[in-house]
Amino acid sequence: MFDQIKKQDPALYDMIVSECKRQRDGIELIPSENYVSQAILEAQGSILTNKYSEGYPKKRYYGGQDNIDDIEQLAIDRAKELFGCEHVNVQPYSGSPANAAIYFALLEFGDKVMGLKLDHGGHITHGLPISFSGKAYDWIPYLVGEDGVIDMDEVERIAMETRPKMIVAGFSAYPRNLDWKRFAEICEKVGAISFADVSHVGGLIAAGVVDSPVPYFDVVMTTTHKTLRGPRSAIIMSKEKHAKAINRAIFPGMQGGPHDHTTAAKAICFEEALRPEFKEYGAQVIKNAKVLADKFNEYGYDLVSGGTDNHLLLCDLTNKGMTGQQAQVALDRAEMTLNKNTVPYEKRSPMDPSGIRFGSPAVTTRGFKEKEMEQVGDWMHQVLSNLDDEDLHHRIAGEVAELCQDFPVDGTLI
Ligand code: DSN
């Protein structure tokens, strides 16, 4: 693999090979990451990257679009079949630009928008003051309660009081299911546009193991590279009445030519997600996350909301006398990768927060089941209860690599 890069650019080759080994021999617990199939890797590495195709199928600016039109239409048709949406735009480069386009399509600058606060599980594009979203719109945050769960009565109260133009339902660090129907009812009641950012659970929705907001919401955005296990990208689904505004906001509003190699990889991703085995994967993702939650509860960790309904867990390490950063560094040494994370009502800084966020999508893709997840939970606890014992961390890294040998990952067989 990578024969030409090896010849042409040995320094870069070594870096890629190193990363292949890291992904192959370590346990990936960052809940927004996954392992894509060989077919998706091939599409992304294909000559489709050479083409410019501003516009939409049959309505392009440049010539030579017959094949690209077919590819984009295939991705559109498969996305519609998978999610049951009225309209889909498959061109967004990734989640943040997709969200920017949605706001640009449906809001005026300065409009009021409600979103889950970042340290309560939201996302930077849901109104963080230093992000473009926070600067361009007037955000009214809603929070989780002391129990770590969103109180929908409180969401309704805030919405009634402030009358936002849009309510964003979605998260990047919230371990519970959202009540889509209730969100949509509140939007209806206050006349707000309903927007669901399902970036994290898009794959679980496609698998049918988490409820879908598509029937209820005006707009739904998902990234395609998290639980959905496709290329690094996003799609925007909407009711037909918003189709024109969304399409115009993506091009020419926010983006230039779509990334056709990625569109092709998305078409493959949607076909893979339509297969029966994807449902099994989705169900196993949740089972595996629940095994980790049980282990962490057994060992006395403070899980935000007490557990999980989806693929992710958020753990406040304050009661264990360590920070998220310390935990991340120690677990990195043991080749178990997760991310430090703020927790609701955070008292520390975002760069050195109190918690960690981790989850099960990538390990489920490589074939881990309950037995392996119990082992992962035990290893994590051994590391976290011996934070300064570097020899132990390295010893565990060896055991981790041994287990990983039985669970190969596409694209890393160098
Ligand atoms: N960085 C992504 C995540 O890890 O959730 C969100 O953009």
Side-chain angles (χ1 to χ4, degrees), residues 308-385:
T308 183
D309 294 330
N310 56 28
H311 61 300
L312 74 82
L313 299 96
L314 191 59
C315 179
D316 184 343
L317 291 166
T318 310
N319 72 341
K320 294 285 185 186
M322 71 186 86
T323 68
Q325 172 68 12
Q326 288 170 321
Q328 179 179 309
V329 169
L331 287 161
D332 255 347
R333 261 195 302 266
E335 298 298 342
M336 287 181 280
T337 310
L338 47 57
N339 64 276
K340 59 180 174 280
N341 216 94
T342 50
V343 295
Y345 304 99
E346 180 61 70
K347 294 188 180 66
R348 303 179 60 85
S349 84
M351 290 310 290
D352 187 17
S354 306
I356 47 176
R357 186 189 69 154
F358 52 105
S360 55
V363 288
T364 305
T365 293
R366 75 186 300 170
F368 281 22
K369 294 216 162 63
E370 286 85 339
K371 182 167 151 247
E372 289 77 28
M373 296 315 288
E374 286 193 15
Q375 177 65 77
V376 172
D378 287 340
W379 276 330
M380 290 176 80
H381 177 57
Q382 277 181 50
V383 171
L384 296 177
S385 33

Side-chain angles (χ1 to χ4, degrees), residues 30-33 94-96 122-125 171-173 199-200 223 225-226 232 311-312 339 341 357:
I30 295 173
S32 48
E33 294 189 13
S94 205
S96 295
H123 187 251
I124 45 177
T125 59
F171 54 81
S172 64
S199 291
H200 263 263
T223 52
H225 50 278
K226 298 188 175 89
R232 186 157 292 272
H311 61 300
L312 74 82
N339 64 276
N341 216 94
R357 186 189 69 154

Side-chain angles (χ1 to χ4, degrees), residues 117-130:
K117 195 164 176 267
L118 181 64
D119 62 2
H120 287 242
H123 187 251
I124 45 177
T125 59
H126 300 177
L128 185 70
I130 54 170

